[in-house]
Amino acid sequence: MQTDDLDFEGYTCPLPIQQRETVVLGHGSGGKLSHDLLTRLFLPELGKAAPRALDDAALLGLEGARLALTTDSHVVAPLFFPGGDIGRLAVCGTVNDLAMVGARPLALTSAFIIEEGLPFETLQRVVQSMQSAAAEAGVFIAAGDTKVVQKGGADGLFITTSGVGSVPPGVEVSGANARPGDVVIVSGTLGDHGIAVLSQREGLGFETDLQSDVAPLNGLVAEMLAAGEIHVLRDPTRGGLATTLVEISRQSQVVIELRQEAIPVKAQVRAACEMLGFDPLYIANEGKLVAFAPEKDAGRILETMRKHRYGQEAAIIGRVVEAGSPQVRLKTAIGGTRLLDMLPGEMLPRIC
Amino acid sequence: MQTDDLDFEGYTCPLPIQQRETVVLGHGSGGKLSHDLLTRLFLPELGKAAPRALDDAALLGLEGARLALTTDSHVVAPLFFPGGDIGRLAVCGTVNDLAMVGARPLALTSAFIIEEGLPFETLQRVVQSMQSAAAEAGVFIAAGDTKVVQKGGADGLFITTSGVGSVPPGVEVSGANARPGDVVIVSGTLGDHGIAVLSQREGLGFETDLQSDVAPLNGLVAEMLAAGEIHVLRDPTRGGLATTLVEISRQSQVVIELRQEAIPVKAQVRAACEMLGFDPLYIANEGKLVAFAPEKDAGRILETMRKHRYGQEAAIIGRVVEAGSPQVRLKTAIGGTRLLDMLPGEMLPRIC
């Protein structure tokens, strides 16, 4: 747990948590403020016994087996977006968090908070979508709960999914395991989910045929683990690739260098980002992963990924250049260097 | 799973789910409408592989071990009430759901949905209360998530807790295991939680020194399981004792007979119920359990319970009189018989 050593070069929170009196939207962004909330409020109280509290799932020992455990609330607005909906998002988000510690998902739970007045037809579509995503991932939803709040007490529908998985013997994947010499691989184009959801928001006035990438990645991960040694897996959701890599650089205490022109971004995402003033590296993904693997295995892993439905556009985007004070450097196409930091505040509220 | 055989004498849903176009508050009551939503919408889609979908936690096999898995969202209003708060409630609710299938809790997860503007001090008090309840139960919170929604998008704070536990060899506890000859035991007075929360609501105009009973019951359950054979454990939360017993009578296909004068109810709860037109048998409890045990072991189990902090007022309140068409009969003090059914609609919204 890196909670005592969160400061690194260039890291300055705009306002320390103690000086803010209330929670703001940015605390849910997955970026710097979220990190602050986690490390200054939640971890000191709740994380005492959770040594890998900054990974996507926690690990528990049980009679020789290693269990992975994870949870996520989903508050995406709107509930349906191109390429997915809150139900598929909830199932994939949890399946992926388990996969990112190398675990095979065993079962999920789902808890629904419903605003009075939600049409049954909406609920039914969402539940069917969850079932279909669960079937695709080969996992089942073993337990559930439903709460209803009065009109105005919630915004339509929130779904919290939790999952338990088992980590096969020999698999050792953690954000703390990146090492100098590791190659950084992403499984495909970045920013698709965030921009697809955003295109549905009122008043933003842009049209695109872009689809969210929301997908279960456990199948891809199983094939990658069979293809070679993998040190780190992480899905760059809230906060995007940049925030994820900053987290890994801190957990592993390493310097990561990326080549900007190697990072795959769809033309529509690039165009929308330019129009809106966003950076694709900070946009949420829901069906992409980043992997760190030793150079010797990277080629075989990449080849395996490109044969998989969810890894066809996988690419090597950089490497770990040295151990030491954590840093993520982006080498731009014109030869410059930009230091990447966590997403500072809130860019896209309720993106997942 | 009893989903194909839900009709029993006296059971008539006021309006079939298909005829309602939207979700109403009653669908979150834990009573008949909740049951309808579960059995007609969720179970057909999600429950296919979940044979004990009507128990408080699902069971999974893993390399010889049996894992229990459960989840609950908590939307109680107000967040703080006499004897507890949403944090203690969230931890105890999940610990108790695990305990009710005979599982020892291994770890919990907690996911927070926070309305923008919630004071930090409130969040901190809740998180500290969760930590203190977890410490009391001897369980730790291994993973968490935080989402923030805009002002008006949620009502303050919702917490979803999930839990994983392991069921010791030899323990076979399920709502489907009640048998003729079983004695029905409750661990203490009924209705304390619901009335304590209600006393804090605006406009209800009653004062009481009543405290919620919210408490972790895993310690009590461990001692009970060591004291004798137990067939059924269930915590009578939403829908109260009556709804819980109707569920058990259906799962086990038995007739249950209760003696009204044996059912412990505090004088303040009785008074509040009379004033408000409620029946204590339908009020939520958060630190009570009902157990079914064979007559031969009941005395020993009761004695063990009465020595425990959370079982001092344990009492035998009835028995399973025969197998067959499910029914719950209440023998009144004056010699009459009343048939108990599930809570039909919504009595106390957002009680947990």
Side-chain angles (χ1 to χ4, degrees):
Chain A
M1 196 159 47
Q2 303 291 320
T3 54
D4 297 321
D5 188 19
L6 279 164
D7 294 295
F8 84 117
E9 211 179 347
Y11 177 84
T12 45
C13 180
L15 248 184
I17 200 169
Q18 295 90 329
Q19 291 175 34
R20 294 178 183 273
E21 291 186 331
T22 63
V23 176
V24 297
L25 276 175
H27 285 114
S29 66
K32 208 175 260 184
L33 285 174
S34 293
H35 199 73
D36 251 46
L37 195 63
L38 181 68
T39 53
R40 299 197 192 178
L41 177 62
F42 288 109
L43 287 185
E45 288 300 329
L46 302 178
K48 283 168 190 142
R52 294 169 32 133
L54 296 175
D55 277 342
D56 284 336
L59 292 190
L60 317 169
L62 176 68
E63 294 167 25
R66 285 182 301 165
L67 287 183
L69 192 59
T70 186
T71 192
D72 267 313
S73 287
H74 297 86
V75 299
V76 67
L79 297 176
F80 300 89
F81 47 81
D85 59 75
I86 191 173
R88 182 168 173 83
L89 191 66
V91 167
C92 295
T94 296
V95 164
N96 293 349
D97 279 348
L98 292 174
M100 295 309 128
V101 296
R104 298 187 187 128
L106 290 170
L108 307 185
T109 64
S110 62
F112 296 78
I113 296 173
I114 304 171
E115 183 188 14
E116 185 186 18
L118 185 79
F120 268 123
E121 187 265 341
T122 303
L123 190 57
Q124 199 147 26
R125 274 174 69 198
V126 168
V127 170
Q128 280 162 356
S129 168
M130 292 183 81
Q131 175 52 27
S132 132
E136 185 189 343
V139 65
F140 75 103
I141 297 171
D145 180 51
T146 308
K147 294 291 186 319
V148 182
V149 299
Q150 76 286 4
K151 208 156 177 63
D155 188 8
L157 175 64
F158 302 145
I159 302 178
T160 304
T161 33
S162 303
V164 63
S166 76
V167 183
V171 172
E172 288 297 341
V173 174
S174 166
N177 291 353
R179 296 171 212 168
D182 279 358
V183 164
V184 182
I185 309 172
V186 291
S187 62
T189 56
L190 295 169
D192 302 8
H193 174 73
I195 298 298
V197 173
L198 207 61
S199 73
Q200 297 300 297
R201 299 255 173 99
E202 281 171 33
L204 280 175
F206 73 101
E207 282 188 30
T208 174
D209 55 358
L210 193 73
Q211 303 270 308
S212 164
D213 57 355
V214 55
L217 298 175
N218 55 322
L220 175 63
V221 166
E223 292 186 19
M224 290 169 65
L225 287 170
E229 188 180 326
I230 293 177
H231 296 156
V232 180
L233 288 169
R234 194 65 69 88
D235 56 339
T237 54
R238 279 184 294 176
L241 179 73
T243 302
T244 297
L245 290 177
V246 171
E247 280 169 6
I248 294 168
S249 76
R250 294 186 193 181
Q251 271 188 277
S252 295
Q253 298 282 306
V254 293
V255 178
I256 299 168
E257 201 170 274
L258 305 176
R259 284 178 307 117
Q260 185 167 36
E261 79 273 16
I263 302 175
V265 178
K266 285 201 172 88
Q268 303 106 300
V269 171
R270 207 177 291 280
C273 280
E274 271 167 25
M275 191 173 74
L276 298 164
F278 291 155
D279 180 340
L281 299 186
Y282 289 91
I283 307 276
N285 311 277
E286 293 291 344
K288 296 290 156 41
L289 61 79
V290 55
F292 286 56
E295 179 113 47
K296 67 175 176 63
D297 290 357
R300 214 162 46 244
I301 292 168
L302 189 67
E303 201 182 317
T304 304
M305 291 174 77
R306 287 187 172 155
K307 286 184 194 146
H308 192 282
R309 178 177 178 191
Y310 295 131
Q312 287 170 18
E313 292 166 287
I316 291 176
I317 60 167
R319 60 192 60 239
V320 179
V321 290
E322 58 187 9
S325 189
Q327 199 175 71
V328 182
R329 298 179 198 144
L330 183 71
K331 293 279 178 190
T332 64
I334 52 161
T337 299
R338 186 180 140 209
L339 287 189
L340 297 182
D341 198 355
M342 289 188 165
L343 181 65
E346 182 56 277
M347 193 161 64
L348 304 174
R350 299 187 58 189
I351 210 72
C352 62
Chain B
M1 197 158 47
Q2 305 288 320
T3 55
D4 297 320
D5 187 21
L6 279 165
D7 295 295
F8 84 118
E9 214 180 345
Y11 177 84
T12 46
C13 179
L15 248 183
I17 200 171
Q18 295 91 329
Q19 292 176 32
R20 293 178 184 272
E21 291 184 331
T22 62
V23 176
V24 297
L25 275 175
H27 285 113
S29 66
K32 207 176 262 185
L33 286 175
S34 293
H35 199 70
D36 250 46
L37 194 64
L38 181 67
T39 54
R40 299 194 192 178
L41 176 63
F42 289 107
L43 286 186
E45 290 298 330
L46 302 178
K48 282 164 189 147
R52 296 168 31 134
L54 297 174
D55 278 343
D56 283 334
L59 292 190
L60 317 170
L62 176 69
E63 293 167 24
R66 286 182 300 166
L67 287 185
L69 193 60
T70 186
T71 192
D72 267 313
S73 287
H74 297 87
V75 298
V76 67
L79 297 175
F80 300 87
F81 47 81
D85 59 75
I86 189 172
R88 183 170 172 85
L89 192 66
V91 168
C92 295
T94 295
V95 164
N96 293 349
D97 279 349
L98 292 174
M100 295 308 130
V101 296
R104 295 186 190 131
L106 290 170
L108 307 186
T109 65
S110 62
F112 296 76
I113 297 174
I114 305 172
E115 182 187 16
E116 185 185 18
L118 185 79
F120 268 122
E121 187 266 339
T122 303
L123 190 57
Q124 198 148 26
R125 272 174 70 197
V126 168
V127 170
Q128 281 163 354
S129 169
M130 292 183 80
Q131 176 51 26
S132 129
E136 186 189 342
V139 65
F140 75 103
I141 297 170
D145 180 52
T146 307
K147 293 290 187 318
V148 182
V149 299
Q150 77 286 5
K151 206 153 178 68
D155 188 9
L157 176 63
F158 303 145
I159 302 178
T160 303
T161 31
S162 304
V164 61
S166 76
V167 183
V171 172
E172 289 295 342
V173 174
S174 167
N177 290 354
R179 297 172 212 168
D182 278 357
V183 165
V184 182
I185 309 173
V186 291
S187 62
T189 55
L190 295 169
D192 301 7
H193 174 73
I195 297 299
V197 173
L198 208 62
S199 74
Q200 296 301 298
R201 297 254 174 99
E202 280 171 34
L204 280 174
F206 74 99
E207 282 187 30
T208 173
D209 55 358
L210 194 70
Q211 303 271 308
S212 164
D213 58 356
V214 57
L217 298 176
N218 55 322
L220 175 63
V221 166
E223 292 186 17
M224 290 169 65
L225 287 169
E229 189 181 324
I230 293 177
H231 296 155
V232 181
L233 288 169
R234 194 65 69 88
D235 55 339
T237 54
R238 279 184 293 177
L241 180 73
T243 301
T244 297
L245 291 177
V246 170
E247 281 169 6
I248 293 167
S249 76
R250 292 184 192 182
Q251 271 188 276
S252 295
Q253 298 283 304
V254 294
V255 178
I256 299 167
E257 204 170 274
L258 306 176
R259 285 178 307 117
Q260 185 167 34
E261 80 274 17
I263 301 175
V265 179
K266 287 202 169 88
Q268 304 105 300
V269 171
R270 207 177 290 282
C273 281
E274 271 166 24
M275 189 173 77
L276 299 163
F278 291 154
D279 180 340
L281 298 186
Y282 288 91
I283 306 275
N285 311 278
E286 293 290 343
K288 296 290 155 45
L289 62 80
V290 54
F292 286 55
E295 179 112 46
K296 67 174 176 62
D297 290 358
R300 213 163 46 243
I301 292 168
L302 189 67
E303 201 181 319
T304 303
M305 291 174 76
R306 286 186 173 157
K307 285 182 196 147
H308 192 281
R309 177 178 176 191
Y310 295 131
Q312 287 170 19
E313 292 166 288
I316 291 175
I317 60 167
R319 58 192 63 236
V320 179
V321 290
E322 60 189 7
S325 188
Q327 200 176 71
V328 182
R329 298 179 198 144
L330 183 71
K331 293 281 179 189
T332 63
I334 54 162
T337 299
R338 186 181 140 205
L339 287 189
L340 297 183
D341 197 354
M342 288 189 169
L343 181 66
E346 183 55 274
M347 194 160 64
L348 303 175
R350 301 187 55 190
I351 211 69
C352 63

mmCIF file of all heavy atoms in Angstrom, chain B residues 26-59:
data_model
loop_
_atom_site.group_PDB
_atom_site.id
_atom_site.type_symbol
_atom_site.label_atom_id
_atom_site.label_comp_id
_atom_site.label_asym_id
_atom_site.label_seq_id
_atom_site.Cartn_x
_atom_site.Cartn_y
_atom_site.Cartn_z
ATOM 1 N N GLY B 26 -43.373 0.208 -3.172
ATOM 2 C CA GLY B 26 -43.665 -1.109 -2.614
ATOM 3 C C GLY B 26 -42.777 -2.214 -3.159
ATOM 4 O O GLY B 26 -42.574 -3.236 -2.506
ATOM 5 N N HIS B 27 -42.209 -1.997 -4.338
ATOM 6 C CA HIS B 27 -41.309 -3.009 -4.888
ATOM 7 C C HIS B 27 -40.007 -3.115 -4.105
ATOM 8 O O HIS B 27 -39.230 -4.048 -4.298
ATOM 9 C CB HIS B 27 -41.004 -2.710 -6.366
ATOM 10 C CG HIS B 27 -42.144 -3.031 -7.282
ATOM 11 N ND1 HIS B 27 -42.845 -2.070 -7.963
ATOM 12 C CD2 HIS B 27 -42.717 -4.211 -7.592
ATOM 13 C CE1 HIS B 27 -43.805 -2.654 -8.678
ATOM 14 N NE2 HIS B 27 -43.746 -3.945 -8.473
ATOM 15 N N GLY B 28 -39.780 -2.164 -3.217
ATOM 16 C CA GLY B 28 -38.585 -2.240 -2.384
ATOM 17 C C GLY B 28 -38.896 -2.591 -0.950
ATOM 18 O O GLY B 28 -38.038 -2.491 -0.088
ATOM 19 N N SER B 29 -40.114 -3.023 -0.698
ATOM 20 C CA SER B 29 -40.566 -3.206 0.686
ATOM 21 C C SER B 29 -40.056 -4.469 1.341
ATOM 22 O O SER B 29 -40.105 -4.601 2.546
ATOM 23 C CB SER B 29 -42.093 -3.260 0.703
ATOM 24 O OG SER B 29 -42.517 -4.445 0.018
ATOM 25 N N GLY B 30 -39.614 -5.416 0.546
ATOM 26 C CA GLY B 30 -39.274 -6.720 1.101
ATOM 27 C C GLY B 30 -40.482 -7.625 1.210
ATOM 28 O O GLY B 30 -40.367 -8.782 1.605
ATOM 29 N N GLY B 31 -41.648 -7.124 0.856
ATOM 30 C CA GLY B 31 -42.876 -7.906 0.964
ATOM 31 C C GLY B 31 -43.298 -8.496 -0.362
ATOM 32 O O GLY B 31 -42.492 -8.904 -1.194
ATOM 33 N N LYS B 32 -44.617 -8.509 -0.566
ATOM 34 C CA LYS B 32 -45.196 -9.212 -1.697
ATOM 35 C C LYS B 32 -44.744 -8.632 -3.041
ATOM 36 O O LYS B 32 -44.430 -9.367 -3.974
ATOM 37 C CB LYS B 32 -46.722 -9.093 -1.562
ATOM 38 C CG LYS B 32 -47.477 -10.201 -2.200
ATOM 39 C CD LYS B 32 -48.963 -10.031 -1.904
ATOM 40 C CE LYS B 32 -49.393 -10.906 -0.744
ATOM 41 N NZ LYS B 32 -50.841 -10.850 -0.503
ATOM 42 N N LEU B 33 -44.718 -7.306 -3.152
ATOM 43 C CA LEU B 33 -44.320 -6.702 -4.424
ATOM 44 C C LEU B 33 -42.841 -6.949 -4.719
ATOM 45 O O LEU B 33 -42.460 -7.204 -5.864
ATOM 46 C CB LEU B 33 -44.610 -5.197 -4.427
ATOM 47 C CG LEU B 33 -46.085 -4.814 -4.567
ATOM 48 C CD1 LEU B 33 -46.256 -3.305 -4.423
ATOM 49 C CD2 LEU B 33 -46.649 -5.264 -5.900
ATOM 50 N N SER B 34 -42.005 -6.891 -3.685
ATOM 51 C CA SER B 34 -40.587 -7.214 -3.869
ATOM 52 C C SER B 34 -40.453 -8.639 -4.363
ATOM 53 O O SER B 34 -39.650 -8.947 -5.255
ATOM 54 C CB SER B 34 -39.827 -7.129 -2.544
ATOM 55 O OG SER B 34 -39.772 -5.819 -2.093
ATOM 56 N N HIS B 35 -41.209 -9.514 -3.749
ATOM 57 C CA HIS B 35 -41.168 -10.918 -4.092
ATOM 58 C C HIS B 35 -41.571 -11.115 -5.552
ATOM 59 O O HIS B 35 -40.974 -11.900 -6.293
ATOM 60 C CB HIS B 35 -42.123 -11.663 -3.163
ATOM 61 C CG HIS B 35 -41.848 -13.122 -3.090
ATOM 62 N ND1 HIS B 35 -40.743 -13.635 -2.480
ATOM 63 C CD2 HIS B 35 -42.530 -14.178 -3.590
ATOM 64 C CE1 HIS B 35 -40.760 -14.958 -2.583
ATOM 65 N NE2 HIS B 35 -41.833 -15.309 -3.259
ATOM 66 N N ASP B 36 -42.584 -10.373 -5.946
ATOM 67 C CA ASP B 36 -43.041 -10.407 -7.331
ATOM 68 C C ASP B 36 -41.940 -9.975 -8.294
ATOM 69 O O ASP B 36 -41.696 -10.616 -9.317
ATOM 70 C CB ASP B 36 -44.203 -9.419 -7.491
ATOM 71 C CG ASP B 36 -45.489 -10.161 -7.697
ATOM 72 O OD1 ASP B 36 -45.719 -11.124 -6.937
ATOM 73 O OD2 ASP B 36 -46.226 -9.796 -8.629
ATOM 74 N N LEU B 37 -41.305 -8.853 -7.961
ATOM 75 C CA LEU B 37 -40.245 -8.322 -8.823
ATOM 76 C C LEU B 37 -39.130 -9.362 -8.948
ATOM 77 O O LEU B 37 -38.621 -9.632 -10.033
ATOM 78 C CB LEU B 37 -39.697 -7.041 -8.188
ATOM 79 C CG LEU B 37 -38.827 -6.127 -9.036
ATOM 80 C CD1 LEU B 37 -39.612 -5.559 -10.197
ATOM 81 C CD2 LEU B 37 -38.294 -4.983 -8.175
ATOM 82 N N LEU B 38 -38.797 -9.955 -7.824
ATOM 83 C CA LEU B 38 -37.724 -10.947 -7.788
ATOM 84 C C LEU B 38 -38.071 -12.168 -8.623
ATOM 85 O O LEU B 38 -37.291 -12.610 -9.470
ATOM 86 C CB LEU B 38 -37.487 -11.352 -6.323
ATOM 87 C CG LEU B 38 -36.387 -12.376 -6.058
ATOM 88 C CD1 LEU B 38 -35.028 -11.791 -6.390
ATOM 89 C CD2 LEU B 38 -36.427 -12.828 -4.606
ATOM 90 N N THR B 39 -39.257 -12.707 -8.392
ATOM 91 C CA THR B 39 -39.555 -13.996 -9.011
ATOM 92 C C THR B 39 -40.022 -13.849 -10.454
ATOM 93 O O THR B 39 -39.887 -14.765 -11.231
ATOM 94 C CB THR B 39 -40.625 -14.759 -8.202
ATOM 95 O OG1 THR B 39 -41.760 -13.908 -8.040
ATOM 96 C CG2 THR B 39 -40.080 -15.151 -6.848
ATOM 97 N N ARG B 40 -40.553 -12.687 -10.806
ATOM 98 C CA ARG B 40 -41.038 -12.561 -12.181
ATOM 99 C C ARG B 40 -40.077 -11.840 -13.102
ATOM 100 O O ARG B 40 -40.118 -12.028 -14.298
ATOM 101 C CB ARG B 40 -42.387 -11.828 -12.189
ATOM 102 C CG ARG B 40 -43.414 -12.617 -11.405
ATOM 103 C CD ARG B 40 -44.803 -12.116 -11.681
ATOM 104 N NE ARG B 40 -45.718 -12.706 -10.715
ATOM 105 C CZ ARG B 40 -47.012 -12.450 -10.661
ATOM 106 N NH1 ARG B 40 -47.551 -11.594 -11.523
ATOM 107 N NH2 ARG B 40 -47.770 -13.015 -9.763
ATOM 108 N N LEU B 41 -39.207 -10.993 -12.563
ATOM 109 C CA LEU B 41 -38.280 -10.265 -13.435
ATOM 110 C C LEU B 41 -36.833 -10.719 -13.250
ATOM 111 O O LEU B 41 -36.173 -11.118 -14.194
ATOM 112 C CB LEU B 41 -38.401 -8.753 -13.206
ATOM 113 C CG LEU B 41 -37.410 -7.881 -13.992
ATOM 114 C CD1 LEU B 41 -37.619 -8.016 -15.489
ATOM 115 C CD2 LEU B 41 -37.530 -6.423 -13.585
ATOM 116 N N PHE B 42 -36.347 -10.678 -11.995
ATOM 117 C CA PHE B 42 -34.925 -10.948 -11.798
ATOM 118 C C PHE B 42 -34.581 -12.438 -11.905
ATOM 119 O O PHE B 42 -33.669 -12.811 -12.620
ATOM 120 C CB PHE B 42 -34.437 -10.389 -10.460
ATOM 121 C CG PHE B 42 -34.370 -8.891 -10.443
ATOM 122 C CD1 PHE B 42 -35.286 -8.140 -9.735
ATOM 123 C CD2 PHE B 42 -33.384 -8.237 -11.155
ATOM 124 C CE1 PHE B 42 -35.228 -6.754 -9.733
ATOM 125 C CE2 PHE B 42 -33.317 -6.852 -11.165
ATOM 126 C CZ PHE B 42 -34.240 -6.109 -10.446
ATOM 127 N N LEU B 43 -35.301 -13.278 -11.178
ATOM 128 C CA LEU B 43 -34.914 -14.689 -11.179
ATOM 129 C C LEU B 43 -34.982 -15.331 -12.555
ATOM 130 O O LEU B 43 -34.083 -16.085 -12.925
ATOM 131 C CB LEU B 43 -35.741 -15.483 -10.156
ATOM 132 C CG LEU B 43 -35.359 -15.238 -8.690
ATOM 133 C CD1 LEU B 43 -36.143 -16.174 -7.787
ATOM 134 C CD2 LEU B 43 -33.870 -15.409 -8.469
ATOM 135 N N PRO B 44 -36.018 -15.043 -13.363
ATOM 136 C CA PRO B 44 -36.028 -15.678 -14.683
ATOM 137 C C PRO B 44 -34.812 -15.302 -15.522
ATOM 138 O O PRO B 44 -34.333 -16.102 -16.309
ATOM 139 C CB PRO B 44 -37.320 -15.148 -15.317
ATOM 140 C CG PRO B 44 -38.177 -14.752 -14.172
ATOM 141 C CD PRO B 44 -37.238 -14.295 -13.099
ATOM 142 N N GLU B 45 -34.303 -14.094 -15.345
ATOM 143 C CA GLU B 45 -33.143 -13.678 -16.127
ATOM 144 C C GLU B 45 -31.829 -14.069 -15.459
ATOM 145 O O GLU B 45 -30.923 -14.582 -16.088
ATOM 146 C CB GLU B 45 -33.148 -12.147 -16.327
ATOM 147 C CG GLU B 45 -34.236 -11.646 -17.249
ATOM 148 C CD GLU B 45 -34.113 -12.187 -18.675
ATOM 149 O OE1 GLU B 45 -32.988 -12.456 -19.114
ATOM 150 O OE2 GLU B 45 -35.146 -12.362 -19.324
ATOM 151 N N LEU B 46 -31.732 -13.745 -14.176
ATOM 152 C CA LEU B 46 -30.427 -13.838 -13.516
ATOM 153 C C LEU B 46 -30.279 -15.075 -12.654
ATOM 154 O O LEU B 46 -29.171 -15.466 -12.321
ATOM 155 C CB LEU B 46 -30.206 -12.596 -12.640
ATOM 156 C CG LEU B 46 -30.267 -11.245 -13.355
ATOM 157 C CD1 LEU B 46 -30.078 -10.123 -12.358
ATOM 158 C CD2 LEU B 46 -29.212 -11.172 -14.446
ATOM 159 N N GLY B 47 -31.389 -15.671 -12.260
ATOM 160 C CA GLY B 47 -31.324 -16.701 -11.220
ATOM 161 C C GLY B 47 -31.199 -18.116 -11.743
ATOM 162 O O GLY B 47 -31.245 -19.065 -10.979
ATOM 163 N N LYS B 48 -31.003 -18.248 -13.046
ATOM 164 C CA LYS B 48 -31.012 -19.593 -13.639
ATOM 165 C C LYS B 48 -30.062 -20.559 -12.951
ATOM 166 O O LYS B 48 -30.352 -21.720 -12.781
ATOM 167 C CB LYS B 48 -30.658 -19.492 -15.128
ATOM 168 C CG LYS B 48 -31.830 -19.022 -15.961
ATOM 169 C CD LYS B 48 -31.383 -18.557 -17.346
ATOM 170 C CE LYS B 48 -32.557 -17.890 -18.066
ATOM 171 N NZ LYS B 48 -32.127 -16.804 -18.935
ATOM 172 N N ALA B 49 -28.904 -20.044 -12.592
ATOM 173 C CA ALA B 49 -27.887 -20.945 -12.048
ATOM 174 C C ALA B 49 -27.796 -20.831 -10.535
ATOM 175 O O ALA B 49 -26.847 -21.295 -9.930
ATOM 176 C CB ALA B 49 -26.539 -20.630 -12.684
ATOM 177 N N ALA B 50 -28.769 -20.202 -9.916
ATOM 178 C CA ALA B 50 -28.686 -19.932 -8.483
ATOM 179 C C ALA B 50 -29.762 -20.712 -7.731
ATOM 180 O O ALA B 50 -30.839 -20.208 -7.477
ATOM 181 C CB ALA B 50 -28.851 -18.437 -8.223
ATOM 182 N N PRO B 51 -29.441 -21.948 -7.348
ATOM 183 C CA PRO B 51 -30.465 -22.829 -6.799
ATOM 184 C C PRO B 51 -31.052 -22.358 -5.471
ATOM 185 O O PRO B 51 -32.155 -22.732 -5.127
ATOM 186 C CB PRO B 51 -29.737 -24.155 -6.640
ATOM 187 C CG PRO B 51 -28.286 -23.817 -6.619
ATOM 188 C CD PRO B 51 -28.129 -22.573 -7.420
ATOM 189 N N ARG B 52 -30.307 -21.555 -4.734
ATOM 190 C CA ARG B 52 -30.853 -21.118 -3.443
ATOM 191 C C ARG B 52 -31.110 -19.630 -3.479
ATOM 192 O O ARG B 52 -30.861 -18.899 -2.530
ATOM 193 C CB ARG B 52 -29.906 -21.505 -2.309
ATOM 194 C CG ARG B 52 -29.788 -23.014 -2.196
ATOM 195 C CD ARG B 52 -28.673 -23.494 -1.304
ATOM 196 N NE ARG B 52 -28.347 -22.641 -0.212
ATOM 197 C CZ ARG B 52 -28.155 -23.064 1.026
ATOM 198 N NH1 ARG B 52 -28.321 -24.331 1.338
ATOM 199 N NH2 ARG B 52 -27.790 -22.234 1.960
ATOM 200 N N ALA B 53 -31.683 -19.187 -4.582
ATOM 201 C CA ALA B 53 -31.835 -17.754 -4.828
ATOM 202 C C ALA B 53 -32.716 -17.059 -3.793
ATOM 203 O O ALA B 53 -32.694 -15.846 -3.703
ATOM 204 C CB ALA B 53 -32.390 -17.528 -6.218
ATOM 205 N N LEU B 54 -33.488 -17.802 -3.027
ATOM 206 C CA LEU B 54 -34.347 -17.140 -2.049
ATOM 207 C C LEU B 54 -33.731 -17.121 -0.647
ATOM 208 O O LEU B 54 -34.321 -16.591 0.274
ATOM 209 C CB LEU B 54 -35.737 -17.788 -2.040
ATOM 210 C CG LEU B 54 -36.491 -17.651 -3.382
ATOM 211 C CD1 LEU B 54 -37.788 -18.433 -3.349
ATOM 212 C CD2 LEU B 54 -36.777 -16.187 -3.691
ATOM 213 N N ASP B 55 -32.554 -17.690 -0.469
ATOM 214 C CA ASP B 55 -31.866 -17.561 0.807
ATOM 215 C C ASP B 55 -31.172 -16.202 0.885
ATOM 216 O O ASP B 55 -31.131 -15.458 -0.089
ATOM 217 C CB ASP B 55 -30.853 -18.697 0.987
ATOM 218 C CG ASP B 55 -31.523 -19.973 1.503
ATOM 219 O OD1 ASP B 55 -32.655 -19.878 2.013
ATOM 220 O OD2 ASP B 55 -30.924 -21.049 1.386
ATOM 221 N N ASP B 56 -30.615 -15.888 2.067
ATOM 222 C CA ASP B 56 -29.996 -14.575 2.250
ATOM 223 C C ASP B 56 -28.656 -14.456 1.539
ATOM 224 O O ASP B 56 -28.185 -13.359 1.270
ATOM 225 C CB ASP B 56 -29.806 -14.289 3.749
ATOM 226 C CG ASP B 56 -31.126 -13.893 4.399
ATOM 227 O OD1 ASP B 56 -32.004 -13.384 3.682
ATOM 228 O OD2 ASP B 56 -31.278 -14.092 5.606
ATOM 229 N N ALA B 57 -28.017 -15.577 1.244
ATOM 230 C CA ALA B 57 -26.734 -15.559 0.538
ATOM 231 C C ALA B 57 -26.698 -16.761 -0.392
ATOM 232 O O ALA B 57 -27.353 -17.771 -0.152
ATOM 233 C CB ALA B 57 -25.567 -15.612 1.534
ATOM 234 N N ALA B 58 -25.952 -16.631 -1.476
ATOM 235 C CA ALA B 58 -25.795 -17.736 -2.426
ATOM 236 C C ALA B 58 -24.588 -18.568 -2.027
ATOM 237 O O ALA B 58 -23.652 -18.062 -1.419
ATOM 238 C CB ALA B 58 -25.598 -17.171 -3.825
ATOM 239 N N LEU B 59 -24.613 -19.840 -2.345
ATOM 240 C CA LEU B 59 -23.481 -20.718 -2.040
ATOM 241 C C LEU B 59 -22.785 -21.161 -3.324
ATOM 242 O O LEU B 59 -23.439 -21.481 -4.309
ATOM 243 C CB LEU B 59 -23.956 -21.956 -1.268
ATOM 244 C CG LEU B 59 -24.468 -21.719 0.150
ATOM 245 C CD1 LEU B 59 -24.663 -23.040 0.862
ATOM 246 C CD2 LEU B 59 -23.505 -20.842 0.944
#
